[in-house]
Amino acid sequence: MLWGGRFSGKPDDTMRRFGDSIAFDVRLYAADIRGSIAWAGALARAGLLTDAERDQIVAGLEQVRAEFDAGTFQIKPGDEDIHTAVERRLGELIGPVAGKLHTGRSRNDQVATDLRLYLLEQMRALDAALADLQRAVVDKAEARLDVLMPGYTHMQQAQPVLFSHYLMSFFWRFQRDRERLADVARRTAVLPLGCGAIAGTPFAIDREALAADLGFAAVAENSVDAVADRDFVAEFLAWAALAQTHLSTLAEDLIIWASREFGFVTLDDAYSTGSSLMPQKKNPDPLELMRGKAGRLIGHLAGFLATLKGIPSGYDKDLQEDKEPLFDAVDTLALELPIAAGIIRTLKVNAERMAAALDDGMLATDLADYLVRRGVPFRESHHLVGQAVKRAEALGVSLGKMPLAEYRAIYPAFGEDLYAVFDFGRSVAMRQARGGTSPDAVRAQIRRARALVGG
Ligand code: ARG
């Protein structure tokens, strides 16, 4: 134990287990050892360790790391957390000189440093996984540039769009996710080490050199703030909740479209499951989990904010509660993002089913625009086409099949050429302004996307 001196009684066993974090913070071992090696270097530079002592400590720490890497490290009762476990083992390996490592340091600045180091590495991996998902989206969008589909608002048919245009909408969501992640990383790469328990360290520690050693871009400016600052955890959880919400939207779309009623897409067998009872079933389980896990990640953010809200300044043990939601969010997305990419890459797009779902009614806006081009104010043309829709419904015909005489009865400026409007490809092709769904605009969009992710 690291702190027994002032106690005469022993801790209650259950209390000890309640306080232990080793079961989950063991994954910080590499970050913890990296931080301690840098700290040993800083102590030597400050004249608190001889070079020989530093080398002994560093060699010992490397051995501890090798044991973790090999899976031979033995966690013992009394190893309260990863910091305690590493220091205990270091002492067994190199003797009393191990006791010099914690000079001028507290577990408060240590754990904050470890968690930042760990998260920075995880964020790099998550960014790479997101970029790969973006490449899957662009590849599919480019390959199926010919496919038309209904665009929906309020889950009702709205206007025709290219399937590629719809799919690319996710590229830009993921792009914002990556921008936000980079922003979180900027504030995560700030070094708490050298701030001690709360007041700073009394020794001549060069914190800038320490930051450079550990790859931090800056040092924390205030020790009171540094030891309790978990903004980066809250920001990461907010990031994860939003990224997961994007995945949930994609999942929901695909689940509906994979239904027999829509049949717009077919999921690959690799990403589907069967039913133990109904032999015909092919279920989109991974997409349902993608949708469901949004609730879980939103919960992590809300839960952790509630923890933060309850504590005063300075380190409080409540902060140990930062780890499990953070690790779970990292694990969830690390596992899920490659699955999302796989689902997109293997997705079968059923162009004929999408085409069959296109209804003339979706071109009513184009018909209003036809009148606009003849000088009719849009508000008026909107109303006139609304009347045409009502009339067609009463006659039981589609807009494109309603006789010209009926149109003329509503408004005399309707001409024979109005029927040219009832062409879904033409409707899409006309939306050429940047950000629109015309094939040229989508090609330009894809070019700009490729410039961001390569491939
Ligand atoms: N396991 C603790 C945590 O995760 C480490 C820091 C403990 N510091 C302390 N003063 N008890 O927060």
Side-chain angles (χ1 to χ4, degrees), residues 75 105 122 129 153 179 190-191 202 223 252 308 313 337 409 421 426 437:
I75 291 168
R105 185 176 73 169
Q122 299 304 316
T153 65
E179 287 169 14
V190 179
L191 179 80
S223 62
E252 172 68 351
L308 281 184
S313 288
L337 288 168
V421 162
R426 175 181 173 279
T437 192

Side-chain angles (χ1 to χ4, degrees), residues 2 82-92 98-99 102 105:
L2 299 179
I82 185 61
H83 329 293
T84 320
V86 169
E87 200 179 319
R88 187 262 307 153
R89 183 63 185 142
L90 183 67
E92 290 169 5
H102 211 53
R105 185 176 73 169

Side-chain angles (χ1 to χ4, degrees), residues 21 25 81 83 107-108 111 315 320 323:
S21 55
D25 68 15
D81 53 27
H83 329 293
R107 272 184 301 160
N108 298 353
V111 70
Y315 176 86
Q320 184 167 285
K323 288 173 201 62

Side-chain angles (χ1 to χ4, degrees), residues 92-103:
E92 290 169 5
L93 290 171
I94 66 169
V97 68
K100 292 196 171 188
L101 173 62
H102 211 53
T103 306

Side-chain angles (χ1 to χ4, degrees), residues 60-77:
L61 286 167
E62 276 164 357
Q63 198 176 332
V64 177
R65 178 163 54 200
E67 290 180 9
F68 273 111
D69 287 345
T72 58
F73 187 96
Q74 301 263 330
I75 291 168
K76 300 225 168 114

Side-chain angles (χ1 to χ4, degrees), residues 12 21 47-48 74 76 106 118 144 146 211 230 255 294 309 339 393-394 396 406-407 429 434 440 454:
D12 174 78
S21 55
L48 292 151
Q74 301 263 330
K76 300 225 168 114
S106 157
Y118 166 83
R144 300 314 312 265
D146 54 322
R230 295 295 185 277
I255 288 165
K309 186 245 167 280
I339 295 170
E393 241 173 50
E406 298 288 346
Y407 276 108
R434 186 166 171 167
D440 282 345

Side-chain angles (χ1 to χ4, degrees), residues 149-224:
M149 66 173 288
Y152 296 85
T153 65
H154 309 264
M155 203 54 221
Q156 305 291 317
Q157 289 205 348
Q159 292 180 315
V161 294
L162 289 184
F163 166 76
S164 298
H165 190 51
Y166 155 80
L167 189 59
M168 283 299 292
S169 71
F170 285 93
F171 179 95
W172 302 107
R173 288 171 172 94
F174 299 145
Q175 184 61 23
R176 293 193 295 277
D177 288 332
R178 293 180 62 205
E179 287 169 14
R180 266 186 289 272
L181 193 62
D183 198 44
V184 178
R186 216 161 46 76
R187 278 182 297 280
T188 304
V190 179
L191 179 80
L193 199 58
C195 284
I198 183 162
T201 187
F203 301 111
I205 298 294
D206 180 348
R207 294 189 62 221
E208 272 81 16
L210 199 50
D213 256 19
L214 288 170
F216 283 92
V219 298
E221 293 290 357
N222 180 303
S223 62
V224 177

